[in-house]
Amino acid sequence: IEIPEVQLVYNSSHFKSLATGGNVSEALALVGEKACYQSISSCGGQIFYLGTKSVHVMTLRSWRERIDHLLKQERLTDALALAWSFYEGKAKAVVGLSGDTSKRKAVIADRMVEILLHYADRTLKKCPDQGKIQVMEQHFQDVVPVIVDYCLLLQRTDLLFNQIYDKMSENSVAKGIFLECLEPYILSDKLMGITAQVMKDLLLHFQDKNRLENMEACIVHMDITSLDIQQVVLLCWENHLYDAMIYVYNSGMNDFISPMEKLFKVIAPPLNAGKSLTGTVLLPLKDCCLAGRAYPLGDIPEDLVPLVKNQIFEFLIRLHSTEGSVDEEVYPHIRTLLHFDTREFLNVLALTFEDFKNDKQAVEYQQRIVDILLKVMVENSDFTPSQVGCLFTFLARQLAKPNNTLFVNRTLFDQVLEFLCSPDDDSRHSERQQVLLELLQAGGIVQFEESRLIQMAEKAEFYQICEFMYERELRYDKIIDCYLRDPVRKEEVFNYIHNILSMPGYSAEEKQSVWQKALEHIEELLLLSPCKAADLVAMHFTEQIESIIANLQVQCQLKFDLSLCFLYSREGINQDLLHLPPHITEQFIELLCQHSPDHVLETLKVLEYCRLEETIQITQKHQLHEASSYLLEKKGDIHGAFLVMLERLQSKLLMLTQDDGGSAELPLLGSIEDTLMKTIALCQRNSHSLNQQQREALSSCAPSFPHLFHTALKSLTMQVLNNMAAFIALPSILQRILQTGSESALDPQQIQAFDQLCRLNRGTSRVCTAVTLSASNWGRVLCKLPAMLPLSPPFSLCLCPFWLHLLALSALSGILFQ
C-alpha cells in the first residue's frame, strides 16, 4: 500500500545527533533520513501512523469485503480468483472466516455461485449489439470459459447445465461458445456426465459446424447414460462415425457382434469387387475384443471377457452371414478380413493365440480357424503369392512354438512350395521369393525336405533361397554362384567374398573353399567390375597376380582393365604391399599404348616399378614421343630426350608447310606451340645441370623454322630466343642466326631474330661479348642490311646503339670491317 500522503514523522535529528554538532558517521546520518521509530504502532487489528499533520488508522478488511471491493471495480475475474484462493486456503491475512474447513468452503462456494450468476448476467448485458460476429464471439470467448472453469472446479455441474446454460441459451453466439468450451473437459475426462438436453444440443452444434471428428471424440468419452442412444446411433450411421457407434453398442448394450455385422455389410461389396480399402476399424475392433479391451477406449468387464471372445470366434467361423445371398462363398467373414489386410489379420490372430494355453475351448477355436484359413486360401486362386506366403509364415511360427497344439498337414507346405517355386510363372518373381524366404526364416524349414527345396529353388532362380540353404549347410563357396547368377545382387559378391576371407568366425577350410571358388571365377568377376575385382585381388590374391594376368592373355581388354586398376591407387588398398613384377608392368604399358595412348605419359609419371630401357622401347615402338622423351630424361639422357621432342616438332612443321592454308592449320599451329613449349620446358629443367658446351650442343640442334615470316610463328621464335638468352652465350646465338640463312643474303627470319636479340640485350654489357664473332660474319650482317627490305622502326632503334658498341669494340680490338 502506498502511504506517501501520511507524511510519517522521522527521527532524523536524533540519528544525526544535531544536538552535539552532528558528530556521527555518514552511514548513520544517511539511515537517519528515513528512520521512523515510534511513528508506527499496531493495536487490536489496527495500525496507527504518526504523520506530521495527523494520525492515520488502517484496518484489515474481511474476506467478503475484499471480494466486494473488487466487484465494485467490476474486476469479476480477479474476484473469482481471490475467492478461489480463499476456498483452497492459500490466501494471506484472511479475516472473517471461522469454523472448520468444510463450513468455510461452503460459505465461499455460495459466494462464488453468486458471483458466477452475476458474471453471466453481466456478460449478456455487456454484449455488443452491433458489429461483426467475430466481435461477439471474442467477447464471449473471454468470459464463458472462465465461468465454465469455475463451475467445474466447484463441481457444480447442476449450476452449469441449468441456470447458467439457460442464461447462455438466450444468445445463440454465447450458446455455441458455451458448448465448444465443454469439449476439452470431455476429452480429458473431467466432464463425464452431461444432461440429455445439453448433450443433444452439443451433437447438433458439431453437426451444424461439420465438426464430425470432434463429435465422435466427445461421444466415446461420455458416460453412456447421458446419451440418447437412438439419436446417437442414427447420427453415427448417417455420418459414418463407426468408433462412436461401436462404443454405444458395446458400452450401452453389451453387444459386440451387431456392429461387426453392420461393418461387414459396408466393406464386403467393394472388397469383392476388387477395390482396396483403408482405415476400417474392423481389425482394431477384433484385436481389442479378443484381448479383453473395449474399443476404442477402456476395458471390457472381466466377467464378460470369455463370453466376448467366444462370440467373436463364433462370428468368424460362420459358414454364411445372417443376410447372405444364395451365391455367397463359405466363411465370408474370414474371407473378407483376409482380402482386406491379410498380414494384419494374421497378426491379430497370432496375438490372440498367445493367450490360448489353458483354455480348452479357445484351443479348439484356434485349430478350427487354422483349418478354415487353409481351406479358404489354398483352395482359392483369388489370393496373391504374398498373401499365401503370409499364411504359411504365420503357420510356421505357430508350429515352431513350444507346446504347440496345432496340426497342419505337411503336404500343404509342399503344395505351397510348388506354388511359389513354379518355374512356369514369371510374374511376381521377387515377391514369391521373398515370401518363401520369410517362411523359411520363420521356422518353416522343418516342414520341407532340404534337398528338394534347393532343387526347386534353383529351377525357380530363387538365389536368395539357395543362399539361405547353403549357409545352413556351411557351403559358403556355393553362395558365390548364387550371387553371380542373381542379376539383382551380382555386385554384392565382392563384399561377400571379402567378408568371408577377412572376418573371424569361419574355419580355415571354409575360407579356403571360398578363396578357391573366387579364383576360379576371377574372369567373370573382372567382367562384372574390374575395379572391385582388382581390389579383391590386391587384398587376397597378391601372390597370384602374375598367374591371373597370364591366364588373361587372350582377353587383352580384361588384362588391361585389371592392370589399370592395380596401378592406380585405390582407397582401401595398401600400395606398399602391392608390387607388380616389372614384365607385368611393361605388359600394362604396352596395353596402355594400344588402348589409351593419351594416358601413357600421365601413368608413367605415377608409375614406380618399371624398367626404363624396356619401357622406352615400348613407347618408341608406338611412336609416343612425349612419353619417350620423359623416360629418356628420367634416365638422364637429356640430349636424347631433346632430339625426340625436336623430331616431333619438325614433323609437325613439315605438316604445316604441306597443309598450305588448309582447314587443319589452326589445330596444327596449336599443337606446334604445345610441343615447342614442352621442348623449351625440357631445356629449362635441365640447363642448370649442363655445362656451357652441352648447352650450345643443344642450341645447335634448334629447329630452322620454315616460312618464319608466318605471323603465327613469329611469337614462337621470340619465345625460343627469350629462353636461349638465359642459358646460351650471345655470340653463339648470333652465330646460329647467321648460319640459318643462305650465302647470298639474310632472310627476314634472321633480321627478325637479330632485332629481338638486340631488344633483349639493349643497354647491357652482355652485348660486348658479341665481339667474339668473326669480322667476316659481322661484315655479312652489315653489308647485306642495305640490300634488304626497309627495316621496321623497332629494328632500326635497336640496331643503332648495337652498331656503335660494335664499332667501338672493333677499333679497340683491331678488327677491320669491310
Side-chain angles (χ1 to χ4, degrees), residues 748-786:
Q749 170 191 351
Q750 294 173 308
I751 300 303
Q752 185 71 18
F754 190 74
D755 185 18
Q756 177 65 15
L757 196 61
C758 293
R759 288 175 182 273
L760 290 173
N761 298 279
R762 179 171 48 192
T764 67
S765 61
R766 294 179 62 191
V767 176
C768 296
T769 60
V771 299
T772 58
L773 282 174
S774 65
S776 60
N777 286 338
W778 281 113
R780 288 181 58 211
V781 174
L782 299 178
C783 291
K784 294 179 180 180
L785 282 178

Side-chain angles (χ1 to χ4, degrees), residues 625-640:
H625 298 84
E626 292 184 18
S628 300
S629 175
Y630 169 78
L631 292 172
L632 288 169
E633 182 184 1
K634 188 175 181 181
K635 180 184 174 183
D637 187 359
I638 308 303
H639 190 267

Side-chain angles (χ1 to χ4, degrees), residues 474-481 483-484 493-502 506-522 525 536 540-541:
L474 305 181
R475 298 167 63 185
Y476 300 107
D477 57 323
K478 298 287 290 182
I479 297 178
I480 296 178
D481 294 323
Y483 278 105
L484 291 175
V493 67
F494 300 100
N495 289 334
Y496 175 77
I497 295 173
H498 173 68
N499 291 337
I500 295 294
L501 297 179
S502 303
Y506 302 96
S507 66
E509 293 78 7
E510 292 166 353
K511 291 188 176 184
Q512 179 62 29
S513 64
V514 171
W515 186 89
Q516 188 63 40
K517 176 67 74 170
L519 190 59
E520 293 173 3
H521 288 278
I522 195 66
L525 294 173
L536 196 64
H540 303 290
F541 300 90

Side-chain angles (χ1 to χ4, degrees), residues 18-43:
L18 297 178
T20 60
N23 188 19
V24 295
S25 66
E26 293 183 3
L28 188 61
L30 181 62
V31 172
E33 292 292 340
K34 299 296 182 181
C36 53
Y37 291 95
Q38 298 178 353
S39 298
I40 302 175
S41 179
S42 63
C43 180

Side-chain angles (χ1 to χ4, degrees), residues 53-270:
K53 297 180 179 179
S54 60
V55 176
H56 298 262
V57 180
M58 294 187 180
T59 306
L60 290 176
R61 290 194 179 103
S62 67
W63 69 274
R64 192 179 295 274
E65 290 174 340
R66 291 168 66 180
I67 294 174
D68 291 340
H69 177 72
L70 294 174
L71 291 175
K72 288 179 181 179
Q73 297 178 346
E74 295 189 351
R75 296 165 58 185
L76 279 75
T77 304
D78 294 337
L80 287 170
L82 179 61
W84 182 248
S85 67
F86 292 147
Y87 187 89
E88 289 187 309
K90 296 180 180 180
K92 303 297 182 181
V94 182
V95 177
L97 277 176
S98 59
D100 56 15
T101 304
S102 59
K103 289 182 178 180
R104 290 199 300 270
K105 285 187 175 182
V107 173
I108 298 170
D110 291 340
R111 182 55 179 156
M112 290 185 70
V113 168
E114 295 175 2
I115 298 173
L116 289 170
L117 292 173
H118 173 65
Y119 204 175
D121 293 333
R122 178 181 175 277
T123 300
L124 294 171
K125 291 179 181 179
K126 295 288 185 177
C127 175
D129 296 332
Q130 298 178 351
K132 297 182 179 180
I133 189 67
Q134 290 83 357
V135 177
M136 297 179 65
E137 289 179 349
Q138 185 61 46
H139 169 74
F140 288 112
Q141 285 173 355
D142 293 339
V143 177
V144 174
V146 177
I147 297 175
V148 174
D149 194 22
Y150 280 109
C151 286
L152 294 177
L153 287 175
L154 292 171
Q155 299 181 358
R156 293 294 304 272
T157 55
D158 56 330
L159 173 67
L160 181 64
F161 296 129
N162 291 306
Q163 293 171 271
I164 292 181
Y165 182 65
D166 291 342
K167 292 179 182 292
M168 295 297 171
S169 299
E170 296 175 3
N171 187 297
S172 60
V173 178
K175 180 179 179 181
I177 298 298
F178 179 89
L179 293 173
E180 291 176 4
C181 287
L182 302 179
E183 182 183 359
Y185 297 100
I186 295 173
L187 297 181
S188 61
D189 294 329
K190 294 180 180 179
L191 184 59
M192 300 292 293
I194 298 179
T195 61
Q197 183 60 43
V198 176
M199 189 65 197
K200 180 180 179 180
D201 293 344
L202 178 64
L203 297 180
L204 292 175
H205 175 75
F206 281 134
Q207 188 177 21
D208 293 339
K209 295 287 186 179
N210 197 27
R211 298 171 59 182
L212 301 178
E213 293 182 359
N214 303 72
M215 179 172 66
E216 185 176 35
C218 289
I219 291 174
V220 299
H221 282 271
M222 290 301 301
D223 184 1
I224 196 67
T225 58
S226 65
L227 299 176
D228 183 342
I229 293 180
Q230 183 177 1
Q231 177 207 10
V232 173
V233 171
L234 181 61
L235 193 63
C236 291
W237 271 116
E238 289 177 353
N239 297 283
H240 308 292
L241 305 179
Y242 298 123
D243 284 359
M245 184 268 294
I246 293 170
Y247 172 76
V248 172
Y249 270 96
N250 293 355
S251 302
M253 298 176 279
N254 287 333
D255 185 354
F256 297 87
I257 302 302
S258 294
M260 290 188 187
E261 292 177 340
K262 294 180 180 295
L263 288 173
F264 270 102
K265 291 180 182 179
V266 174
I267 69 171

Side-chain angles (χ1 to χ4, degrees), residues 13 49 168 319 482 514 642 798:
S13 59
Y49 297 91
M168 295 297 171
L319 191 63
C482 297
V514 171
F642 178 78
C798 293

